[in-house]
Amino acid sequence: MKLRPDILEKLGRFCSYQERCIEDVKAKLIKLGLGASSIEGYVEYLLEIDVLNEERFARTYTKSKFNIKSWGRIKIRHALRLKKIPSELIELAWNEEISEDDYLARIGELAHKKRRSTKSTNEYKNKAAIIRYLQQKGFEYDLILDHLNTN
């Protein structure tokens, strides 16, 4: 199968300004009107020349969602699964990009920030608001409670 230069140019621009996963590229190719057999050829080519790299994507995605958006492990893993990243790569990215100390410190920072912004004088309501907030961010309930019970 011959790869079209115009499509390769569009894919080059698409992949050059941020890391992409295979699912992102497939969605882009579908938007460009390509069929399933053509899509696989373009994906294989991009993997071959290392423009597409699922491990690199998983690492970058994990690091940026944690550092910029303050997402927790649950939310990041779920988002990566939706992008069809293999579980091994999700675990590898998590274990190598985010230390447990940084993770627990982030829970503390976010809990402190939420506590300051909560207006209720009822400590039970404040604690419930912090728990909801941190769970919405994707942090584990048991780690949230551990933090709240020790601080």
Side-chain angles (χ1 to χ4, degrees):
M1 179 189 97
K2 184 149 170 45
L3 302 177
R4 291 176 28 200
D6 61 320
I7 299 291
L8 288 174
E9 184 182 330
K10 288 178 183 179
L11 288 175
R13 282 195 309 267
F14 181 67
C15 294
S16 68
Y17 65 90
Q18 85 180 46
E19 287 294 336
R20 302 291 182 174
C21 65
I22 292 172
E23 283 303 303
D24 291 342
V25 170
K26 285 181 177 180
K28 178 70 171 177
L29 289 168
I30 289 169
K31 267 176 72 173
L32 293 173
L34 272 75
S37 60
S38 299
I39 288 173
E40 289 308 315
Y42 285 99
V43 167
E44 284 176 25
Y45 175 73
L46 294 174
L47 287 167
E48 202 173 285
I49 63 169
D50 203 36
V51 168
L52 261 184
N53 183 310
E54 297 263 278
E55 180 181 337
R56 193 173 60 222
F57 172 80
R59 287 171 177 266
T60 303
Y61 190 90
T62 298
K63 195 174 1 179
S64 67
K65 292 303 180 190
F66 179 74
N67 290 331
I68 297 167
K69 300 254 187 196
S70 292
W71 284 9
R73 197 175 353 241
I74 294 169
K75 194 167 185 170
I76 292 171
R77 283 180 175 153
H78 179 71
L80 287 170
R81 275 193 221 108
L82 288 176
K83 292 184 175 286
K84 299 186 179 162
I85 303 298
S87 297
E88 316 80 68
L89 291 182
I90 294 172
E91 293 310 309
L92 176 75
W94 184 265
N95 293 333
E96 293 193 11
E97 297 301 327
I98 312 298
S99 77
E100 196 63 22
D101 290 342
D102 290 344
Y103 192 67
L104 296 174
R106 182 64 50 94
I107 290 173
E109 292 164 14
L110 293 171
H112 181 70
K113 178 180 161 190
K114 185 65 178 174
R115 180 173 276 122
R116 283 195 330 251
S117 70
T118 306
K119 304 209 182 338
S120 175
T121 57
N122 183 326
E123 187 53 37
Y124 177 77
K125 286 183 181 180
N126 287 343
K127 192 174 185 178
I130 293 167
I131 291 170
R132 279 192 308 275
Y133 174 70
L134 289 171
Q135 282 187 305
Q136 174 266 324
K137 287 286 215 175
F139 291 92
E140 297 88 338
Y141 182 72
D142 58 329
L143 294 178
I144 298 167
L145 280 186
D146 286 348
H147 173 77
L148 293 175
N149 290 334
T150 58
N151 294 310

